[in-house]
Amino acid sequence: MPDSIYHEGFSFLTPDERLNFDEIERVARATAELGVTRLRLTGGEPLLRPNLSELVERLVRIPGIEDIALTTSGMLLERQAAALHAAGLHRVTVSLDSLDPAVFARMSGGRGDLRTVLDGIGAARALGFPRGVKVNTVVQRDVNDAGVPELLAHFRHTDVIVRLIEYMDVGNRNGWERSDVVTSREMMTRINALWPLDPVSPAYRGEVATRYRYADGGGEIGFISSVSAPFCGNCSRARLSSDGQFFTCLFATKGTDLRAVLRDAGHAGEDEPLRQTLANIWHRRTDRYSEERQERRSRAEAVHEDKAGKKIEMHYIGG
């Protein structure tokens, strides 16, 4: 979120423009009735939403929902971890790209504090969330790739699982170039030379991370390979923005307005129109952006920013 755009005078969403907790819960219940079993609260930064633990408490009570996760920068985690744990949150993922303070500052846009993030991870570990704590690290060539072994060493022999994510062309502002990508295969070769790895079976169908464990018992690591090994055909994820837009792909250029469906006076309190809308969207989806990117590359075509339309920004719908 560059300062040149999101400055002190920028007009963010008003409370009325955002979905309230009742509306979020209605969408979650409708998706659960259609077969969804896993929910994730992400951002932007979800811990900026007041009383987020109240929403967690509501979501864990929905029949059919088996897993509630949270993705956060970690800056507010230490002060909110206890309330989230008490509310029933199952697991926490913290975005952390480097243990080098200068690199951390560069990749976080000069915001945040490394020590605060590490303290947040420590607080979450101490509380013992039922399904643990993960760290997501986006690896960018000549930016933070040299520091990945230090980060992995920090979390080895702990219960924290680090997942290394290929640098993706999300949104329209990150200046993505294919040459900046360190593929999972390359990263795995580097790591395997330090600590041999053994493959681990997926925990569930559609899991995006390819899992490995350290042969010496040092824990688990994952690789997310959206660029070099796209998994569009096996993707079962959808995303709901804070203002009620429903997206079926991280690289989408437009979504469907569920806020209007939720607030339609003609169907006040009725969720069948919502369920029908969600089912129709899902059955019609044709998203395969990452596979198409790979196909363009195999044909030696340009793989720069998609010219067909402006993609939604990562800070708008998260990962």
Side-chain angles (χ1 to χ4, degrees):
M1 300 180 69
D3 288 332
S4 59
I5 298 173
Y6 302 98
H7 46 75
E8 290 185 5
F10 183 82
S11 295
F12 288 94
L13 293 175
T14 64
D16 229 22
E17 291 174 304
R18 295 194 300 265
L19 297 185
N20 59 41
F21 286 175
D22 289 340
E23 291 167 331
I24 295 172
E25 183 181 353
R26 285 176 62 193
V27 175
R29 285 185 179 277
T31 61
E33 289 165 2
L34 293 169
V36 168
T37 60
R38 307 165 71 87
L39 300 175
R40 177 176 294 275
L41 300 170
T42 180
E45 175 47 59
L47 296 183
L48 287 171
R49 184 73 180 250
N51 305 311
L52 189 71
S53 59
E54 177 191 328
L55 178 61
V56 171
E57 194 170 358
R58 291 183 181 209
L59 297 179
V60 297
R61 292 199 297 259
I62 296 175
I65 296 300
E66 301 169 358
D67 185 81
I68 307 281
L70 172 83
T71 298
T72 173
S73 69
M75 280 297 298
L76 302 174
L77 183 57
E78 184 177 19
R79 71 180 76 167
Q80 296 191 38
L84 293 166
H85 183 267
L89 185 70
H90 296 117
R91 55 197 174 103
V92 175
T93 299
V94 177
S95 299
L96 175 61
D97 295 323
S98 179
L99 292 182
D100 181 300
V103 177
F104 173 88
R106 174 181 174 181
M107 297 188 74
S108 63
R111 302 178 177 90
D113 175 76
L114 177 59
R115 183 71 261 163
T116 301
V117 174
L118 292 174
D119 288 345
I121 294 172
R125 288 186 60 208
L127 284 163
F129 283 88
R131 291 170 194 163
V133 179
K134 291 186 175 72
V135 165
N136 277 356
T137 302
V138 176
V139 182
Q140 190 172 352
R141 189 177 304 280
D142 298 329
V143 177
N144 68 328
D145 59 318
V148 167
E150 178 191 9
L151 188 145
L152 294 178
H154 181 85
F155 291 109
R156 269 171 44 82
H157 298 287
T158 72
D159 49 3
V160 175
I161 298 172
V162 177
R163 299 190 297 188
L164 302 177
I165 304 173
E166 291 179 346
Y167 178 51
M168 294 181 284
D169 51 335
V170 291
N172 312 285
R173 299 191 178 100
N174 69 353
W176 185 86
E177 295 286 348
R178 186 63 173 75
S179 58
D180 294 330
V181 177
V182 181
T183 65
S184 294
R185 181 187 295 271
E186 179 181 346
M187 208 69 245
M188 194 183 309
T189 299
R190 295 191 204 177
I191 296 164
N192 201 62
L194 298 170
W195 306 291
L197 301 172
D198 295 325
V200 177
S201 299
Y204 56 91
R205 183 179 180 274
E207 185 173 26
V208 298
T210 304
R211 301 167 59 202
Y212 290 82
R213 64 168 58 94
Y214 296 109
D216 65 359
E220 186 178 313
I221 184 175
F223 298 87
I224 298 179
S225 315
S226 174
V227 176
S228 65
F231 40 81
C232 304
N234 205 31
C235 179
S236 59
R237 295 188 172 197
R239 293 166 173 85
L240 178 69
S241 70
S242 60
D243 59 351
Q245 294 291 316
F246 187 79
F247 299 93
T248 53
C249 181
L250 179 62
F251 301 95
T253 57
K254 62 181 179 179
T256 301
D257 184 8
L258 294 187
R259 186 178 63 189
V261 179
L262 289 162
R263 298 180 183 180
D264 182 352
H267 299 289
E270 297 180 17
D271 284 343
E272 182 53 36
L274 175 62
R275 282 191 294 271
Q276 192 60 53
T277 298
L278 288 166
N280 289 341
I281 294 168
W282 196 252
H283 290 146
R284 293 197 311 265
R285 68 193 178 105
T286 57
D287 313 282
R288 51 188 303 270
Y289 176 89
S290 292
E291 290 178 347
E292 290 169 346
R293 183 209 302 115
Q294 190 79 339
E295 289 167 3
R296 290 195 301 270
R297 177 173 171 77
S298 68
R299 295 193 300 264
E301 296 178 8
V303 292
H304 297 287
E305 180 184 318
D306 182 16
K307 302 301 181 184
K310 291 289 186 181
K311 293 170 286 185
I312 47 174
E313 296 295 338
M314 189 71 160
H315 65 252
Y316 181 59
I317 59 161

